[in-house]
Amino acid sequence: MNMLFFIVFVLFSALIFRLGIVQIVQGEDYQRKIERTEDITVNASVPRGKIFDRDGQIVVDNMPQNAITYTRAQSPDPDEMMKTAEKLAQLIEKETDQVTERDKKDFWIGKNEEKAKMKIKDKEWEAYENDEITEDEIYDMQLERITEEDLRELTADELEVLAIYREFTAGYAMTPQIVKNKNVTDVEYAVVSENLSSLPGVNTATDWERAYSYNNTLKTVLGNISSSKEGLPKEMVDYYLSRDYSRNDRVGKSYLEYQYEDVLRGQKTKMKNITDKSGNLLESEIITEGKRGNDLVLSIDMDLQIAVEKIIEEELGQAKRTGSHPLLDRAFVTMMDPNTGEILAMAGKKYEVDDGKAAMLDFALGNMTTSYAMGSTVKGATILTGYMTGVNEPGEYIVDEPIRLADTPPKSSWFNRGGAFGISDTYALMRSSNVYMFKTAMEIGGAKYVPNGGLKIDLEAFSTMRKHFNQFGLGVKTGIDLPNEQAGYQGIVDPKEPGKILDFSIGQFDTYTPLQLAQYVSTIANGGYRMEPHIVKEIRQPMSDTNKIGPVSKEIKPKVLNTLDLEPGWIERVQEGFRLVAQASEGTASSYFGDAPYKMAAKTGTAEGVYDGPLRENYKNKLTWNVTLIGYAPYDNPEVAMAVVVPWAYESSGNSIPINHHIGRKAMDKYFELKKQKSIDKPVNAIIEQDIVNKKETESE
């Protein structure tokens, strides 16, 4: 027994000794662990990069705006959140237009628990007590039985509280959620800032929104971003979350903003949220300052872009005012540097009438997302395809005569002046001979033309000609740095209609985009190099001084997609033909460009086809004409190439209009006018000037 008592004594002594250590020696440490806070690191969004034009003019900026935010705890208390919403509602005005009927019903139940219980019958409560009905089913019954009269009991003040509470619950735990960032007055901002201690989770901050210096100019190409309410697109949530995005981050949704999301997004601010053991936010502190996204410098000249859009509006509006062109509703112009692929202007306008009011809408995207039959502008590709396939030789003469096939209406040029000696390739381009192209296509297809006879053509001729046209950029995507580019439409090859190859040769079978047409004429202008078009010229680092442009982070260099397999002198024949079109007295565009001081080379086009525009249900099988124009200048040292496309310009040859020529001449005039003006007013553009300043500052440092 003594031994047992001794053991018990030793054990109790050890226990007391251990308790003494815990309470006296380590007591403070354990107390701190009990009351410890938890540090949670979150990311806060930063403004996106800016977008400038080639001269350093801001196209898209970030407009700062006051904002009120709320950061929800990890284990939120709904009652505490509601109390905070009620306090905040007394300090700010909150729009209630986003409050849904379901929101109102949920709020009504929370405010009227007894009335909500009365919506359920005794038998239903009894079934609930017997586990025959679930709590969720009871709640659904209550929601269903709330009447409009019940909802009218909610006052305007209560709806405002509900609107704020709705924003509180919409956010993600420990991530700041925008409660209000539109029209936050200085008074609201100041009052909320003064009362943050009584508004747990609420904070004041500076938010931003995209600002467009030129309003809707080029807006469809620039694209859009999601709002803080939208957050990440549902279909791409996993992709963005894996790249360190938050669910309520704003991202590029379309075109330029989407294409360059990785460049524009910036480096997020890292914040440490300190919470208590209940998960309530105590304070936030910045670990790493964020940095707004890199800036984009476009190849676009906004002065030229605006001028070309105005030209299109004037010419399109004038044609519509005559009342003689009911189907004409759009026009496009793409201008690019044929040597680098830089897009200088990409303008498109669509004429629409809404409630009796006519409007010209931006449709710049149509240059790459819509395609049309381009007519005779493609004849340069046909001539060169004849050379490359070996069926024709440079300078070869072909008799221009009506093509008469059995059981087929005659197909001819708009003129027939070949005589017994025929016409040359350059003359065929200058006068826009159809027959020269027809006979070239027949040779490619292995057919021998016999007047009034049949036409046996190897259908592989379609593939052969398309492959060669692809080398110029016709019928394939150009590679522009924008998503959703269209490749055009290939006509269906019917063995019963082999003669469609003749239509293909003059641009009346397959369809191409205006951008493809610009790439094609650039390929001819620069001597046979298909350049990849691009709308972004440089990527620049952001500067803390908002009035400065940062140093170059990446320069988008010219990219040759392919080189035409040509022998010396071949492409010069087509270039000469294009020069004659614009400058020789018999050229189809000489009356419009013959007196131009910049020495234009060009090719005109007209394509007949069945109307397939937005009113096609009312105009089935209606024949219309598309009018097109391509060109470059100066012809002996090209610096700008252009494509003009005006679909469905008129419905009968007697009602034709040279709208393509008017637009093309004015656009080219404006390019050289601005070039001269800028060389006088701006010896170096704003970006080059800033580069000099940056270099001097760096050397000084």
Side-chain angles (χ1 to χ4, degrees), residues 232-528:
L232 303 180
K234 291 182 179 179
E235 65 276 10
M236 299 185 69
V237 168
D238 293 339
Y239 169 79
Y240 282 120
L241 290 179
S242 68
R243 299 171 68 85
D244 201 28
Y245 281 78
S246 300
R247 290 182 180 272
N248 61 345
D249 277 348
R250 282 166 281 192
V251 298
K253 294 196 300 183
S254 58
Y255 297 99
L256 201 66
E257 293 274 15
Y258 171 82
Q259 184 75 18
Y260 286 91
E261 171 64 28
D262 289 344
V263 173
L264 293 168
R265 66 175 290 200
Q267 181 179 322
K268 289 187 173 185
T269 298
K270 289 192 176 294
M271 301 178 63
K272 181 169 68 175
N273 286 334
I274 302 175
T275 65
D276 59 20
K277 61 182 180 180
S278 299
N280 297 314
L281 181 66
L282 298 179
E283 62 177 300
S284 296
E285 57 184 59
I286 295 176
I287 301 174
T288 306
E289 287 284 357
K291 183 175 70 173
R292 72 174 174 84
N294 285 344
D295 299 330
L296 298 181
V297 176
L298 305 182
S299 60
I300 296 285
D301 181 337
M302 287 304 291
D303 294 328
L304 179 62
Q305 178 75 25
I306 292 171
V308 173
E309 288 190 4
K310 185 178 180 181
I311 291 167
I312 295 175
E313 287 185 3
E314 290 174 350
E315 293 296 328
L316 194 55
Q318 183 176 341
K320 293 299 292 183
R321 283 192 292 273
T322 66
S324 303
H325 309 284
L327 302 180
L328 170 63
D329 72 341
R330 64 194 66 187
F332 307 97
V333 175
T334 294
M335 303 181 78
M336 64 186 289
D337 185 332
N339 304 302
T340 64
E342 293 178 3
I343 301 294
L344 304 175
M346 191 161 74
K349 289 291 179 178
K350 183 188 291 186
Y351 178 92
E352 287 191 0
V353 178
D354 187 16
D355 292 332
K357 295 182 179 180
M360 291 285 184
L361 305 181
D362 177 52
F363 196 33
L365 271 181
N367 282 278
M368 53 170 276
T369 60
T370 60
S371 64
Y372 311 92
M374 298 302 186
S376 298
T377 48
V378 308
K379 288 178 178 176
T382 300
I383 292 290
L384 285 169
T385 299
Y387 297 162
M388 290 187 282
T389 55
V391 301
N392 288 346
E393 294 181 358
E396 181 176 344
Y397 279 71
I398 294 177
V399 175
D400 189 301
E401 59 185 337
I403 301 297
R404 303 180 187 278
L405 301 174
D407 303 320
T408 303
K411 299 173 76 70
S412 65
S413 305
W414 64 280
F415 73 100
N416 294 114
R417 296 187 183 177
F421 299 102
I423 60 174
S424 68
D425 44 6
T426 55
Y427 189 90
L429 290 172
M430 177 185 71
R431 298 289 286 163
S432 199
S433 167
N434 287 342
V435 173
Y436 200 102
M437 311 305 150
F438 293 158
K439 290 187 175 181
T440 297
M442 286 190 282
E443 288 289 337
I444 293 172
K448 298 297 181 182
Y449 171 60
V450 177
N452 299 313
L455 189 64
K456 295 182 179 180
I457 288 181
D458 183 355
L459 296 183
E460 282 298 312
F462 285 95
S463 296
T464 299
M465 293 195 72
R466 280 173 176 159
K467 287 177 182 178
H468 283 83
F469 273 44
N470 291 168
Q471 294 181 42
F472 296 93
L474 296 173
V476 291
K477 293 183 178 181
T478 65
I480 190 171
D481 51 342
L482 290 170
N484 303 327
E485 180 186 6
Q486 187 184 115
Y489 173 78
Q490 292 187 350
I492 298 174
V493 178
D494 187 345
K496 297 179 181 179
E497 297 181 304
K500 291 294 184 182
I501 193 70
L502 308 187
D503 296 330
F504 179 94
S505 70
I506 61 170
Q508 299 199 147
F509 191 60
D510 286 3
T511 67
Y512 312 113
T513 67
L515 181 60
Q516 289 174 343
L517 208 61
Q519 188 182 51
Y520 148 66
V521 71
S522 293
T523 304
I524 291 176
N526 65 32

Side-chain angles (χ1 to χ4, degrees), residues 27 32 46 89 136 153 174 227 307 415 436 444 453 488 537 573 655:
R32 282 195 294 269
V46 294
D136 288 342
E153 295 176 3
M174 308 312 297
S227 66
F415 73 100
Y436 200 102
I444 293 172
K537 181 180 175 70
R573 295 293 297 180
N655 199 26

Side-chain angles (χ1 to χ4, degrees), residues 589-602:
S590 62
S591 59
Y592 297 95
F593 292 98
D595 62 346
Y598 39 80
K599 299 179 182 178
M600 182 81 167

Side-chain angles (χ1 to χ4, degrees), residues 106-138:
D106 290 332
F107 188 72
W108 187 89
I109 290 175
K111 285 286 185 181
N112 303 275
E113 292 184 4
E114 292 301 321
K115 288 184 179 180
K117 288 181 179 179
M118 293 174 64
K119 297 287 184 182
I120 306 300
K121 298 176 182 179
D122 293 339
K123 291 183 178 180
E124 293 167 339
W125 281 119
E126 184 178 341
Y128 171 70
E129 294 293 337
N130 295 328
D131 293 332
E132 297 174 4
I133 298 178
T134 65
E135 185 175 351
D136 288 342
E137 290 174 324
I138 288 290

Side-chain angles (χ1 to χ4, degrees), residues 48-108:
R48 293 171 73 80
K50 299 179 181 182
I51 301 177
F52 299 86
D53 85 335
R54 68 186 298 112
D55 292 325
Q57 302 179 96
I58 292 182
V59 179
V60 183
D61 203 350
N62 300 307
M63 186 68 68
Q65 53 186 185
N66 291 334
I68 297 169
T69 66
Y70 179 78
T71 304
R72 182 157 56 87
Q74 286 184 301
S75 302
D77 182 348
D79 293 335
E80 184 67 29
M81 291 171 66
M82 182 61 71
K83 290 179 182 178
T84 303
E86 291 171 349
K87 291 179 183 178
L88 186 58
Q90 296 175 4
L91 305 178
I92 67 172
E93 292 184 4
K94 174 68 176 175
E95 296 291 337
T96 61
D97 55 332
Q98 297 296 317
V99 175
T100 65
E101 183 178 337
R102 173 59 189 266
D103 292 331
K104 294 178 182 179
K105 288 183 176 182
D106 290 332
F107 188 72
W108 187 89

